[in-house]
Amino acid sequence: TDKPSTSTIAGGAASVAALESRSLWPSRVFDFDALDGTEADVRLSFASLDLSGNLATRDGEMRLTLTPGKLAIDDLSADAAGGKLMGNVSLEKASNGVVLATDLKLDQAKLSSFSPAAKGSATFDLHAGATAQSPAGLLAVMAGSGHVALKDANIHAPAVKALADIVDTVLQGKM
């Protein structure tokens, strides 16, 4: 039998580590040691800030506060998806990991920013929090509440009959 060589195993582990370091939600434990002895209260303005693959902000500002064991973004305000993004996000060291608290609102976003087939606008409110030891853990256990308000929305989707036929096919074990 062929056994992988030590260099192949080490190379694979290095590849996994490299992917992990680039992940938006890494599973490594938060390390607040870099903030020890650091205190800052900075008002930032930015021309653009990429939040994810499909959501970039423009003409924004925020207040960034760093204290030992805590990072906070307050007074976030920026143009996004044809609307206005506002809110606050904080990460604070706790005995059992890190506490995330977020209060975000995307007001009057153009639905066409999310899908070219969509029309109208939407307002999204999100109030969420979590406690975990890593960014991936925070995402996995995040809980909260939210609200979506649609205005003149028109989103093309498959007909209800087509969806019902798919569900029936799956439930009957034919797919």
Side-chain angles (χ1 to χ4, degrees):
T1 63
D2 291 335
K3 291 185 180 178
S5 68
T6 305
S7 62
T8 302
I9 294 170
S15 295
V16 169
L19 286 173
E20 174 71 16
S21 69
R22 291 187 306 226
S23 172
L24 181 60
W25 300 103
S27 58
R28 287 187 313 257
V29 174
F30 277 103
D31 183 4
F32 276 90
D33 291 344
L35 294 179
D36 285 349
T38 302
E39 292 197 20
D41 189 349
V42 181
R43 171 116 354 242
L44 301 168
S45 295
F46 51 90
S48 70
L49 181 63
D50 188 15
L51 299 178
S52 73
N54 290 339
L55 184 61
T57 63
R58 298 177 319 284
D59 302 323
E61 61 183 23
M62 65 180 149
R63 178 179 169 205
L64 175 66
T65 307
L66 298 172
T67 57
K70 186 172 182 179
L71 178 146
I73 296 173
D74 293 302
D75 305 325
L76 171 64
S77 176
D79 295 335
K84 193 72 165 180
L85 176 65
M86 301 165 280
N88 306 297
V89 177
S90 68
L91 292 168
E92 187 166 8
K93 186 177 183 177
S95 61
N96 56 344
V98 174
V99 176
L100 166 73
T102 183
D103 185 11
L104 297 170
K105 180 176 186 173
L106 180 54
D107 192 37
Q108 295 300 307
K110 292 182 181 174
L111 293 174
S112 61
S113 298
F114 304 104
S115 169
K119 292 180 175 54
S121 65
T123 296
F124 303 90
D125 278 305
L126 173 66
H127 313 281
T131 301
Q133 295 185 351
S134 69
L138 288 174
L139 187 61
V141 300
M142 187 181 298
S145 63
H147 178 79
V148 177
L150 301 172
K151 182 177 178 186
D152 300 324
N154 185 348
I155 302 169
H156 296 283
V160 173
K161 172 132 176 51
L163 291 175
D165 290 347
I166 292 169
V167 169
D168 287 343
T169 301
V170 169
L171 291 176
Q172 293 171 7
K174 295 179 183 176
M175 184 180 244

